[in-house]
Amino acid sequence: MLHSNEFLTPRLTGKRFDDHTIPLDLLEDFAALEELFIEVAKWIYLNENPDRKRVPRGFTNEVALKLSSIENGSAVPKIMLVTSFIGLFPNNNFEYYEKARENILKSIDAANRGEEVTRYIPDNLLVYFNRIGKRLRDDETIDFSPGSGLQAKLNRTTRRKLVLASSNIHEVTIETMIRGTIPEADKSKKTFTLMTNSGQRILAKLQGVHSTTILDAFNSYESKTRVMISGLGRFDKQDRLVSFESIDHISVLDPLDVPSRLEELASLEPGWLNGEGIALQKENLDWFAEIFETNYDPALPLPHLYPTPTGGIQAEWSSFTHDISLNIDLPKKSAFYQSWNRISDELDELTLKLSEDSDWQLLNQKLTQLYKE
Amino acid sequence: MHQTTLLLRQVHPSFVQANKISSQVFSITSQVFRPTPKDQNQLSVYNSNKYTPQESHAHFTAIDTSYKSHGVVAVSVQECDMEGLKCEENNIPFDGHSFIDFNMLSGSQIEKKAKKLRNYAMERGWLYEQSGEN
């Protein structure tokens, strides 16, 4: 016979939860949360009963956290604690699970306040936070105790504090996406190396459905073939990606992939052009990467991208009849468009405001027309 | 300098993208032939009567350790003439230094001429390309 109690109603906020749903890949995090509850409950029991060497028979049997529904605001999963009777007797260890809940909430609260978290969860159990919330994105938070006085809000920052509070853990697992080339692959060791655009080398396992794509990219390394890998990365205390725990997706990128090229350009230092040349500001490049991705017609060919000595970028296209350039002033978010007709020698020029959707539409229309000619 | 004299231009590694190693296909920006603010509208080139492309590359990269060149491309004096651009050998700051004069042109015309010169140079291909670059 099963017994069910409402146990947790965490509030998930962030763009992905605005439609009151929870992505499936976050559900495994809640499975890890269940394991943490059970382990913390056991730890509390043994602390309160120092004469006992182990928890009573049936303490963890038939105990489960179950998702019963998802309510609005942004997304609020209703999590029940389900226990069963042991033979003819009800599970009377519920108080330890309630205490475990309080301790877990207080540990997250302590991380938010910069206080000692091991007062509430032992050092060796903090490793569970490497699994809980690992796929949270920058704008996302799980508030485990909304409306209470506690700051039990788990986000990338508090997760990191919780995991690294353990004396035994030196790496934090975080969902990540990275671009680079594959200069090394070792079939005997079943490993490969991803080299990022900044030159950092990251070791990963060569296995599963992605092997063919990885080996193809490795074999065409000389042609600068780039890939984009997304998965769970391990980051060290300096927040540097050191390895991949698992790979979700890998795809070969277009040779003119815009974010990759912008990453390259971000590494240019002041004076990059033989003593001249203003460095490109990363926040400006990030802005351009996003607005380009949002507004540029994916049916059109990608442009070549080059830095300009004045700290901007120049996008260039070449059709059968026209050479086109877009000289982009990043701080002003404006651009000078020029298309030169190689046959008639005519110019078409205009200034575009890149923060205006309508100007992107105009650019798309002009390029579409030129590539038809 | 004669009509057939080539004007050698160094190409910064950031001005090459998606260069295909195994073929002649390459792409450089028109900025290679666009004077920078420091040039004051006089684009520096090497006179091919005094430097081979490889010698010009060696000379350029030895000027300062921060000077970088992926390789060397060129336009001819005749091609500059066709575009109404004057070329002059001034031998300053070194013997063989020359320039293509973009003075008296608007920004729009400079960009157009730069595109045209870039196309002449790409048609000609790399005259020297440093191995291991970009």
Side-chain angles (χ1 to χ4, degrees), chain A residues 222 224 256 261 268 272 274 276 304-309 314 316 323 325 338 340 345 347 349, chain B residues 12 14-15 17 21 27-31 36-38 60 67-68 108 111-112 115-116 118-119 134:
Chain A
E222 286 79 5
K224 312 281 180 200
L256 299 180
R261 180 61 172 161
L268 291 174
W272 58 270
N274 309 316
E276 262 187 291
H304 286 76
L305 286 180
Y306 303 101
T308 66
Q314 179 152 307
E316 296 182 6
D323 282 341
S325 60
Q338 184 190 72
W340 165 54
D345 202 36
L347 286 179
E349 297 178 333
Chain B
H12 189 275
S14 294
F15 287 166
Q17 190 190 1
I21 288 167
S27 185
I28 56 174
T29 171
S30 57
Q31 290 181 81
T36 67
K38 197 172 82 177
F60 180 76
Y67 279 31
K68 291 179 181 167
S108 159
E111 178 57 35
K112 180 181 170 184
K115 284 187 173 88
K116 289 185 166 189
R118 186 266 317 267
N119 289 358
N134 211 16

Side-chain angles (χ1 to χ4, degrees), chain B:
Chain B
M1 294 195 290
H2 313 290
Q3 287 289 295
T4 54
T5 299
L6 291 178
L7 303 169
L8 309 173
R9 178 74 180 159
Q10 307 298 323
V11 180
H12 189 275
S14 294
F15 287 166
V16 189
Q17 190 190 1
N19 193 42
K20 289 195 170 68
I21 288 167
S22 59
S23 77
Q24 288 299 307
V25 179
F26 72 106
S27 185
I28 56 174
T29 171
S30 57
Q31 290 181 81
V32 171
F33 288 99
R34 194 178 172 142
T36 67
K38 197 172 82 177
D39 294 329
Q40 295 183 313
N41 284 334
Q42 295 184 336
L43 187 81
S44 289
V45 287
Y46 283 82
N47 179 350
S48 67
N49 296 333
K50 295 185 177 173
Y51 282 88
T52 65
Q54 188 169 358
E55 284 168 352
S56 75
H57 183 273
H59 180 272
F60 180 76
T61 52
I63 293 173
D64 189 289
T65 51
S66 68
Y67 279 31
K68 291 179 181 167
S69 171
H70 174 94
V72 180
V73 294
V75 292
S76 69
V77 171
Q78 184 182 30
E79 287 160 350
C80 289
D81 280 355
M82 282 159 50
E83 301 308 328
L85 294 166
K86 282 200 305 184
C87 315
E88 202 174 302
E89 183 178 21
N90 61 351
N91 296 318
I92 300 171
F94 55 83
D95 186 36
H97 181 272
S98 308
F99 64 86
I100 303 171
D101 195 351
F102 283 77
N103 274 307
M104 311 304 286
L105 292 177
S106 66
S108 159
Q109 283 299 310
I110 289 174
E111 178 57 35
K112 180 181 170 184
K113 301 287 183 194
K115 284 187 173 88
K116 289 185 166 189
L117 296 187
R118 186 266 317 267
N119 289 358
Y120 288 128
M122 281 179 60
E123 185 84 12
R124 191 167 276 115
W126 289 111
L127 301 187
Y128 174 73
E129 199 177 5
Q130 186 178 34
S131 58
E133 274 283 358
N134 211 16

Side-chain angles (χ1 to χ4, degrees), chain A residues 243-256:
Chain A
S243 63
F244 271 99
E245 187 174 300
S246 63
I247 292 174
D248 298 332
H249 305 290
I250 181 163
S251 45
V252 174
L253 294 171
D254 189 295
L256 299 180

